[in-house]
Amino acid sequence: MAKRFNVTGNCIPEKHYMVDITNRLQETKEMVDCGDYFTINRGRQYGKTTTLHLLAKYLQERYIVISIDFQNLDFSEFSNVEAFAEAFAREFYLNIKDNDEITTDLKEQLQRFANGDIYRSSLRKLFLVLSDCCAKTYRPIVLMIDEVDTASNFQVFLDFLAQLRSGYLHRDSMPTFQSVILAGVYDIKNLKHKFVKEGEHGTNSPWNIAADYLVDMNFSADEIAGMLHEYESDYITGMNISAVSQLIYEYTSGYPYLVSRICKMMDEQMSGTDRFPMKENVWTTEGVTEAVGRVIAEENTLFDSLTDKVNTYPELRDFLQTLLMTGKEISNIPGDDAIGIAKMFGFVRIEDNKVVVANRIFETRLYNMFLSSPEMQSNEMYTCGAREKYQFIKDGELNMDLILRRFVVTFDDLYGDQTQKFIEEDGRRYFLLYLRPIINGTGNYYIESRTRNQERTDVIVDYFGKQYVCELKIWHGNAYNERGEEQLKEYLNHYHLDRGYMLSFNFNKNKKIGVHEIKLGDKILVEAVV
C-alpha cells in the first residue's frame, strides 16, 4: 500500500510520509529519565498525539508506558470523584491487563474500581493502588495522558492533578510514576484562573511541579527535505528537494499540520490538473505557491479553531489587530494576558524578544479575517479596490504598476486632506484594504516579518506563481528614501526579481504625488508617493 501525507489523527510511519522526529523523542526521553513531570502544551494539530504515540514505542524497552486519552471518557465521568476514579481505573486496567509484570491481585483491584465495586471510591484510594503498581513492577511506569483539555473545566481534574503532585513530592517515601506527561493546548499551570475567578478554590496551581517542555516541535527545512526525499524515491518527480522544502518552511515556519497539508494538497489535489498535469509539474516552487493559496482559501479544523479563539477572546483579537495593522514592534512581556493566550494557541512566536505571527499562512488568514469584517468591507478603499479589480488582471498576470497608480489617485481623493497622525496609523491598512479584493481567491499576500516596523513594511504578493515585492514606508527625507531603495534592491536579489515597488506615505505639504520608475543597477523600482 502506497504511503500518503496525513493531516487527520495519528501519523503512522508505515503508512504516512513523515518527518523523522527521533531527536525530539530522545530529548523527551531524557526528561523522562530524569523523572520530570511535564505538559506538551502546543497549539491545535501540532503533532502532539503523534509524538505521544511514537514516544510510547520509544520508551517501551525501559519503561511500562500507560497511554490514556481523556477523550475516551464520557462527559458524565468528569462530574464527580467516584465516576472519574472508576473511569480512570478502567483505562489504566486496559493498558496493563496483559502485562505480566502487574500482579493478578492488583489487576483485580483495578477491575473492582472500574466496576464500581469499591465502596465510596476516591482518588486517594485509587492512587494507593497505582502506587502499589509502581512498587511491584520491574520497570518504572510512565503515565501519558492525551487531550487533557477535555477535563480542564472540571474540579475533579484539579483534584487529580493534586494527587499527582502529592505523589511527586513524596516519591522518596512512596512509590509513584517515573514520569507523567500530559498533552493539550491549554497551559495546565494556569488552570487555577478559571476557578479563582469564581471564588471557589485556592490560588496555587496543583501542576506547579511540572518542568518546562522546551523541545522544538516545528519542522526544520532539512527535516521537511528528509520527508520529501522519501516521497521522491517513490515517485521520481525530479523536484529540487532543497528549494521546495525551503519554500514550504518559509510559508509554514515548520508548523506540522500546515507542512503536511501543503504536501497533501500538491500530491492529491493538484497533480493531474490542467495547470499541473504530472507530478513533476506540481513539485516545483510554482506548485508550492499554488498549494499555499489553496490552503489559505480553504476551511479546515485548524483555521476554524483560529477563528473561534479570536472571536472568543477580545483581548486576543485586539492584540493581533494591533500587531498586524499598525506595524508596531511588540516586545514579549511576561505575564501579559493577550500575549500569553496568543503564544498558548500557537498564533505567535517570540523572535529576538519580539512578538511575531507564527507563520505566513496564519498571518494571511488573520489579515483576511480582519479585512473582511463588515466594517472593513464598507470602507471606501475596499469598495474602490473591488470595483476596479478586473482592470488589474490581464492574461492571468497581476499589473502591479497599475495597482499603484490607481491606489495613489484613490488614496489622494479619499484621504489627501486628513491629518498626519490619522494616515500614519492607517496607511498600510488602506493599501491592504485596496489590494485584498483585487487578488482575493487567486492570489495571497503576507508581510515579511524581518522588515516589519512602523517605518517600513514589505508586502509580498503571490499571484499565479509570480511574486511582487512592495515596500510600504513613511517618508523621512531623500537620504532615508535612498537607503530604502538600496534595501529593496537587496531584497529583490533575495527573491530573484528584477522589478520592485515602493509606496511612500509623504506628509510634507509640498509633496509631489504620483508614480515614477527608478533604475537601480539592473533593477527597476516603481515608486509611488501619496
Side-chain angles (χ1 to χ4, degrees):
M1 181 178 178
K3 286 188 176 183
R4 304 175 65 188
F5 293 102
N6 181 50
V7 294
T8 55
N10 189 36
C11 289
I12 302 171
E14 295 75 24
K15 295 183 178 181
H16 304 127
Y17 293 111
M18 292 178 56
V19 163
D20 182 359
I21 64 168
T22 302
N23 289 339
R24 294 171 182 73
L25 298 179
Q26 179 57 35
E27 288 184 66
T28 308
K29 180 180 179 296
E30 290 172 4
M31 297 182 69
V32 172
D33 292 340
C34 290
D36 288 338
Y37 286 26
F38 56 94
T39 302
I40 300 179
N41 169 221
R42 296 293 187 276
R44 292 291 181 197
Q45 294 178 291
Y46 226 105
K48 299 183 294 295
T49 298
T50 294
T51 298
L52 288 184
H53 176 77
L54 296 178
L55 181 62
K57 291 185 176 182
Y58 196 76
L59 296 175
Q60 64 185 2
E61 183 176 341
R62 183 171 181 179
Y63 300 103
I64 295 174
V65 180
I66 305 297
S67 297
I68 294 175
D69 187 339
F70 270 179
Q71 286 193 331
N72 291 334
L73 276 62
D74 295 334
F75 183 86
S76 61
E77 291 173 325
F78 293 106
S79 61
N80 60 72
V81 170
E82 289 189 17
F84 180 79
E86 292 168 6
F88 189 86
R90 178 192 68 228
E91 297 300 316
F92 198 97
Y93 171 75
L94 291 175
N95 274 262
I96 56 90
K97 64 184 180 68
D98 297 322
N99 190 313
D100 294 336
E101 295 181 50
I102 307 292
T103 66
T104 301
D105 176 62
L106 288 172
K107 292 178 183 178
E108 289 177 351
Q109 288 190 60
L110 286 167
Q111 274 191 303
R112 288 198 296 273
F113 259 102
N115 294 333
D117 296 335
I118 303 296
Y119 176 67
R120 297 191 67 178
S121 300
S122 69
L123 288 176
R124 183 57 182 164
K125 290 179 181 179
L126 173 62
F127 270 79
L128 289 174
V129 177
L130 298 179
S131 179
D132 281 344
C133 290
C134 294
K136 296 176 181 179
T137 56
Y138 298 112
R139 291 177 295 162
I141 297 178
V142 175
L143 174 63
M144 300 195 311
I145 304 176
D146 198 8
E147 300 292 348
V148 293
D149 296 333
T150 304
S152 63
N153 285 321
F154 296 93
Q155 175 59 36
V156 69
F157 181 54
L158 288 182
D159 297 337
F160 173 75
L161 291 178
Q163 289 294 324
L164 290 174
R165 178 179 183 273
S166 177
Y168 177 87
L169 294 176
H170 297 95
R171 55 186 172 173
D172 289 342
S173 58
M174 187 173 185
T176 189
F177 301 112
Q178 165 72 17
S179 178
V180 176
I181 306 170
L182 309 180
V185 173
Y186 290 88
D187 186 353
I188 303 301
K189 290 182 181 179
N190 293 328
L191 282 180
K192 59 182 182 181
H193 295 315
K194 296 184 179 180
F195 297 94
V196 171
K197 289 180 180 179
E198 298 171 7
E200 296 177 357
H201 302 282
T203 59
N204 290 328
S205 167
W207 199 236
N208 58 10
I209 46 86
D212 292 327
Y213 186 72
L214 303 178
V215 176
D216 187 0
M217 294 179 66
N218 292 302
F219 299 157
S220 68
D222 287 342
E223 289 172 329
I224 297 170
M227 177 176 64
L228 295 185
H229 270 292
E230 185 180 3
Y231 180 88
E232 180 66 7
S233 68
D234 288 341
Y235 292 101
I236 319 297
T237 69
M239 78 168 88
N240 183 333
I241 292 176
S242 177
V244 170
S245 59
Q246 180 63 37
L247 189 56
I248 291 174
Y249 175 79
E250 288 179 2
Y251 277 109
T252 64
S253 296
Y255 198 108
Y257 173 86
L258 295 175
V259 171
S260 295
R261 186 71 191 102
I262 289 172
C263 292
K264 189 176 182 68
M265 177 73 73
M266 296 170 72
D267 181 52
E268 298 181 15
Q269 297 187 32
M270 290 169 55
S271 181
T273 61
D274 290 342
R275 188 175 176 201
F276 304 100
M278 306 292 289
K279 287 187 182 294
E280 53 261 37
N281 303 123
V282 76
W283 288 99
T284 60
T285 54
E286 293 78 10
V288 173
T289 303
E290 171 74 12
V292 167
R294 292 189 180 203
V295 170
I296 289 173
E298 73 178 1
E299 297 302 325
N300 57 52
T301 54
L302 178 60
F303 294 158
D304 288 345
S305 176
L306 186 152
T307 302
D308 176 68
K309 296 301 184 293
V310 169
N311 291 331
T312 300
Y313 295 89
E315 65 271 40
L316 174 63
R317 185 182 188 90
D318 292 344
F319 169 75
L320 291 174
Q321 281 190 305
T322 299
L323 179 64
L324 291 171
M325 296 300 184
T326 66
K328 294 179 180 177
E329 287 189 347
I330 299 180
S331 298
N332 180 36
I333 304 173
D336 184 279
D337 284 344
I339 294 175
I341 293 170
K343 288 166 58 179
M344 180 174 66
F345 292 138
F347 298 163
V348 301
R349 69 180 190 274
I350 307 303
E351 199 171 89
D352 298 327
N353 203 41
K354 304 296 182 185
V355 183
V356 297
V357 179
N359 55 72
R360 293 178 183 175
I361 292 178
F362 277 7
E363 182 169 279
T364 303
R365 284 289 301 202
L366 288 167
Y367 269 120
N368 288 347
M369 181 192 308
F370 296 141
L371 295 175
S372 297
S373 67
E375 177 187 1
M376 291 292 187
Q377 291 195 15
S378 65
N379 185 281
E380 290 180 281
M381 188 61 75
Y382 187 99
T383 302
C384 290
R387 184 173 58 246
E388 300 175 355
K389 61 181 294 185
Y390 296 107
Q391 65 180 295
F392 302 122
I393 316 297
K394 185 176 182 180
D395 298 328
E397 287 198 13
L398 193 65
N399 190 335
M400 185 61 76
D401 293 53
L402 184 57
I403 288 175
L404 284 188
R405 294 182 188 281
R406 290 301 306 155
F407 176 80
V408 168
V409 173
T410 303
F411 189 91
D412 189 61
D413 288 346
L414 294 176
Y415 307 110
D417 60 348
Q418 301 293 331
T419 65
Q420 175 175 335
K421 180 178 179 181
F422 176 76
I423 301 302
E424 282 186 345
E425 291 178 349
D426 294 342
R428 295 174 178 84
R429 176 162 60 97
Y430 287 146
F431 179 69
L432 295 178
L433 274 171
Y434 188 77
L435 181 66
R436 170 79 203 289
I438 296 172
I439 66 172
N440 186 37
T442 304
N444 60 79
Y445 55 92
Y446 61 90
I447 308 300
E448 173 52 57
S449 62
R450 288 173 294 180
T451 63
R452 179 201 300 280
N453 56 58
Q454 286 183 284
E455 295 183 338
R456 177 186 173 205
T457 300
D458 286 319
V459 178
I460 315 298
V461 179
D462 288 329
Y463 196 88
F464 268 135
K466 187 173 181 179
Q467 292 183 312
Y468 307 81
V469 177
C470 183
E471 178 182 321
L472 312 184
K473 59 187 292 295
I474 306 299
W475 180 276
H476 287 293
N478 286 326
Y480 177 88
N481 200 57
E482 289 172 2
R483 291 197 301 272
E485 291 169 356
E486 288 301 316
Q487 289 173 333
L488 182 58
K489 178 182 175 182
E490 294 175 5
Y491 208 54
L492 292 175
N493 285 330
H494 173 76
Y495 276 90
H496 307 291
L497 297 173
D498 297 324
R499 195 175 187 85
Y501 302 87
M502 179 181 288
L503 175 57
S504 299
F505 295 90
N506 189 332
F507 303 105
N508 296 330
K509 291 183 178 180
N510 298 322
K511 66 182 179 182
K512 182 178 180 181
I513 67 169
V515 179
H516 61 280
E517 289 189 3
I518 302 172
K519 189 170 179 59
L520 299 174
D522 59 345
K523 309 294 183 185
I524 297 295
L525 172 63
V526 179
E527 182 170 9
V529 179
V530 293

